[in-house]
Amino acid sequence: MEFAMWAYPWDILEEGPETVETRLRDIGIGEVNLATNYHTVQAFAPHNPERRTLFARASSYFETGPAYERLEPIPYEGMDGDWVADVADGLSDLTLTSWTVGCHNSRLGMDNRDCTLESAHGDDLVFGLCPSNPAVQTYLTALVSDLASRDGLDRVELETFDYFYGTGFGWHHQKIHAQLGTLGEFLFGLCFCPDCRSNAADAGVDTERVRTTVAETLDAIVAGEVAHDRSPEQWLAEHSGVAAYVDVREGTLTSLYAELADAAGSTPLGYYVGAPDPGREWMVGADLDALSAHVDYYCLPAYESTTDEVLAAYDAVEGLVDVPLHVGLLPGHPAIHDEATVVDIVQALELRDVPRVSFYNYGLLPEQSLEWVGTATNAVEG
């Protein structure tokens, strides 16, 4: 079993790459999943020697190449040079993976509303770029190519290279005082941008009827006329037109992933699964069986509190895929609050022959949690 740790570049550079490398090797970590292109964040940094928090809008942390067209990553304003290169140059023993956020980009969305998800009511959901949009597809493909071609990055992992978490919410300080449930959130986030509608119409779907059905059902959930806890799967089974519309998105995303695989070349490509729930990736447009032809592995962030919950999440996905399934754990608040649980989960995953476990996140975890990681890795390696 291999062990990795997610990390932000500022935490590594401000603490010192050599210092971080020594600390991570001491707790059994051999790889860093480094944020290279990331969404808006405020990060609390309990052991950073220079700060306790950092604010950043959606940004890249590397100097971008020339292959981008209309959309391109926006470098972090506080960065001097190329932080990804600086981290890579400062590490001598740990391998680096690009932790890459794709469609969740509120900065690009605000500036390019015609490239974002559009609700059935016509709202621009500016936190999410729509992967049906040709400009977005070009952006995502160029991003993967740019990162895969860089020296020092051994693989590229993709987060939100899809229809964004199966929900219509993703903004900061969002206010929701209607009980929508999983079905309502899914319907609110279902995209009806011109490209999504055109793709569905080409497949013979009555897109305007579907849009009306989705909008009316969302309003009916708010009014209490449709149960907020209705199963999305059951509801779709009774609305074949909407189901067909949803199926078209899966085909669109599968075609995009074929392009992403070509862009990655020989660099291994991974995709984060489990949203909005493990086994419900169809809600973000991902047919995991079909995507298996274009990725080298999946990674399931299973930020649960017990071994049984982590294994249940793992089992919900493992039966759907034909490629290796890696697992991510959060060995700290709010998921886990004791060392024994971290150890037990890692040992259970080893018994399932999980090839790689990643821990979230070096700069966010307090010292105690890092010690728990070391105890857990030693329990399966020692």
Side-chain angles (χ1 to χ4, degrees):
M1 178 180 279
E2 298 176 352
F3 296 104
M5 181 78 73
W6 281 288
Y8 298 127
W10 55 85
D11 286 312
I12 295 178
L13 293 173
E14 290 172 351
E15 190 169 331
E18 293 183 3
T19 300
V20 173
E21 183 166 63
T22 298
R23 298 186 74 191
L24 291 179
R25 294 302 293 173
D26 286 347
I27 60 173
I29 302 298
E31 179 180 0
V32 171
N33 306 327
L34 184 69
T36 56
N37 196 65
Y38 203 61
H39 52 69
T40 297
V41 66
Q42 178 189 0
F44 181 72
H47 56 84
N48 185 300
E50 297 188 15
R51 67 179 78 239
R52 280 297 170 266
T53 194
L54 181 137
F55 293 86
R57 292 191 290 169
S59 301
S60 66
Y61 297 96
F62 64 98
E63 292 184 354
T64 58
Y68 299 94
E69 296 184 9
R70 175 184 171 186
L71 301 176
E72 61 181 320
I74 301 174
Y76 173 55
E77 292 86 349
M79 180 176 67
D80 181 16
D82 185 317
W83 279 2
V84 173
D86 291 343
V87 171
D89 290 343
L91 300 178
S92 59
D93 194 24
L94 296 173
T95 59
L96 273 184
T97 289
S98 173
W99 167 24
T100 321
V101 173
C103 290
H104 183 21
N105 194 311
S106 54
R107 178 142 49 160
L108 289 179
M110 286 290 287
D111 291 341
N112 302 274
R113 288 175 175 265
D114 61 311
C115 294
T116 64
L117 303 168
E118 179 183 327
S119 78
H121 287 80
D123 310 296
D124 297 329
L125 305 179
V126 295
F127 53 76
L129 303 173
C130 179
S132 296
N133 185 294
V136 175
Q137 294 176 354
T138 298
Y139 163 70
L140 296 176
T141 303
L143 181 59
V144 169
S145 177
D146 197 357
L147 291 164
S149 65
R150 291 177 64 96
D151 293 334
L153 293 175
D154 287 51
R155 49 182 153 193
V156 175
E157 293 185 344
L158 309 178
E159 178 180 342
T160 67
F161 278 65
D162 50 37
Y163 294 90
F164 191 77
Y165 296 150
T167 178
F169 298 106
W171 192 249
H172 332 293
H173 301 295
Q174 57 199 21
K175 305 294 183 181
I176 312 143
H177 295 290
Q179 196 166 18
L180 302 183
T182 301
L183 173 60
E185 289 198 21
F186 170 68
L187 296 177
F188 179 42
L190 191 60
C191 183
F192 288 90
C193 74
D195 294 295
C196 280
R197 285 184 281 123
S198 176
N199 291 343
D202 289 345
V205 177
D206 185 343
T207 59
E208 288 310 309
R209 182 176 181 182
V210 168
R211 185 171 192 162
T212 298
T213 299
V214 169
E216 290 179 349
T217 302
L218 176 61
D219 290 345
I221 292 173
V222 173
E225 298 164 1
V226 173
H228 70 271
D229 57 356
R230 183 82 183 278
S231 161
E233 290 85 356
Q234 292 177 353
W235 186 87
L236 278 181
E238 299 172 2
H239 297 83
S240 58
V242 182
Y245 188 90
V246 170
D247 287 344
V248 171
R249 302 197 318 166
E250 293 186 353
T252 300
L253 206 64
T254 299
S255 297
L256 172 60
Y257 268 69
E259 297 178 11
L260 297 176
D262 288 342
S266 61
T267 302
L269 198 63
Y271 170 54
Y272 295 164
V273 298
D277 302 298
R280 277 182 163 172
E281 289 78 9
W282 64 267
M283 295 176 71
V284 301
D287 177 343
L288 297 188
D289 182 53
L291 294 187
S292 294
H294 307 301
V295 299
D296 296 281
Y297 62 94
Y298 293 115
C299 179
L300 170 65
Y303 299 160
E304 308 294 348
S305 299
T306 69
T307 300
D308 287 345
E309 290 171 336
V310 170
L311 293 181
Y314 176 82
D315 290 339
V317 176
E318 195 271 337
L320 303 176
V321 303
D322 294 323
V323 295
L325 179 60
H326 303 180
V327 174
L329 301 176
L330 173 52
H333 181 77
I336 299 173
H337 298 94
D338 65 277
E339 181 177 79
T341 299
V342 181
V343 173
D344 191 62
I345 292 172
V346 171
Q347 289 177 324
L349 293 174
E350 184 192 31
L351 292 175
R352 295 294 184 94
D353 294 322
V354 172
R356 176 171 168 261
V357 170
S358 294
F359 298 97
Y360 190 86
N361 167 309
Y362 177 75
L364 302 180
L365 291 173
E367 300 282 359
Q368 178 178 249
S369 291
L370 296 175
E371 293 172 4
W372 296 349
V373 170
T375 302
T377 60
N378 185 65
V380 299
E381 290 184 333

